[in-house]
Amino acid sequence: MISFDLDTHIYRPLTQVFAFVATPENDFQWQYRTLASTQISRGEMGLGTIFRVVGNLLGRRIETVYEVTVFEPNKGYGFKSVSGPVDSYLLYTFEMSQGGTKVTLSTETNPKELSEPNSAILVKRFKKQHKENLAMLKSILEAQQIVR
């Protein structure tokens, strides 16, 4: 099991940051190795919403289906995998801070069939990828390069 917390500060309003992060169709803009992400259940985003992500992980093309497990507007957005090669749970929390928004990511991942002989390398790869994702999120939102 790989688990860690990361955070970043984004100089944008909390409502804008939350809305962007909690829209699966935006994932490809700020999550490296994500090729597409689409909500597949009907209705508005909320608890129980299902979405599919197609991407690359450790050199492999993967498809994963996620279920939203936490949805508190402007406070928290979390989801867990319900299919795919990795068991994962991600929780983003949001709070106003220093004229912007603090975003904290907490993640728990079990790579199941993607295990490598040296798990320390695997932990570093996962952590690096999530750090890069948060840096890209910050860059996009602060530059207002939001594609809708």
Side-chain angles (χ1 to χ4, degrees), residues 17-31 33-55 64-71 77-80 92 94 137 147-148:
V17 176
F18 178 84
F20 188 81
V21 171
T23 301
E25 288 77 10
N26 292 334
D27 290 353
F28 78 95
Q29 294 181 62
W30 64 279
Q31 293 182 14
R33 297 176 181 83
T34 295
L35 304 173
S37 184
T38 307
Q39 180 176 325
I40 55 177
S41 59
R42 295 181 186 247
E44 292 186 29
M45 174 60 71
L47 285 177
T49 296
I50 305 292
F51 63 98
R52 177 183 301 117
V53 175
V54 177
T64 306
V65 174
Y66 293 96
E67 177 182 359
V68 175
T69 57
V70 174
F71 192 83
Y77 171 62
F79 48 90
K80 67 177 181 178
Y92 293 91
F94 306 83
L137 176 66
V147 178
R148 295 182 187 200

Side-chain angles (χ1 to χ4, degrees), residues 8-146:
T8 191
H9 187 269
I10 301 173
Y11 291 99
R12 301 299 300 161
L14 185 143
T15 56
Q16 181 185 6
V17 176
F18 178 84
F20 188 81
V21 171
T23 301
E25 288 77 10
N26 292 334
D27 290 353
F28 78 95
Q29 294 181 62
W30 64 279
Q31 293 182 14
Y32 289 106
R33 297 176 181 83
T34 295
L35 304 173
S37 184
T38 307
Q39 180 176 325
I40 55 177
S41 59
R42 295 181 186 247
E44 292 186 29
M45 174 60 71
L47 285 177
T49 296
I50 305 292
F51 63 98
R52 177 183 301 117
V53 175
V54 177
N56 290 304
L57 180 64
L58 303 174
R60 298 181 185 180
R61 185 179 173 98
I62 63 167
E63 182 174 311
T64 306
V65 174
Y66 293 96
E67 177 182 359
V68 175
T69 57
V70 174
F71 192 83
E72 297 179 58
N74 305 318
K75 291 182 183 175
Y77 171 62
F79 48 90
K80 67 177 181 178
S81 59
V82 294
S83 76
V86 176
D87 286 335
S88 61
Y89 174 74
L90 288 90
L91 174 64
Y92 293 91
T93 56
F94 306 83
E95 60 185 274
M96 291 176 33
S97 172
Q98 303 171 6
T101 304
K102 179 181 177 186
V103 179
T104 301
L105 165 65
S106 299
T107 182
E108 292 181 4
T109 304
N110 180 6
K112 294 192 302 191
E113 62 206 54
L114 297 177
S115 301
E116 291 187 354
N118 187 343
S119 62
I121 292 172
L122 189 61
V123 171
K124 286 181 182 179
R125 285 184 179 177
F126 272 95
K127 199 168 190 177
K128 180 179 185 248
Q129 180 175 337
H130 286 292
K131 280 183 182 179
E132 290 172 353
N133 288 348
L134 288 176
M136 179 64 82
L137 176 66
K138 176 180 175 69
S139 175
I140 288 172
L141 289 176
E142 288 182 354
Q144 298 183 338
Q145 297 175 353
I146 300 171

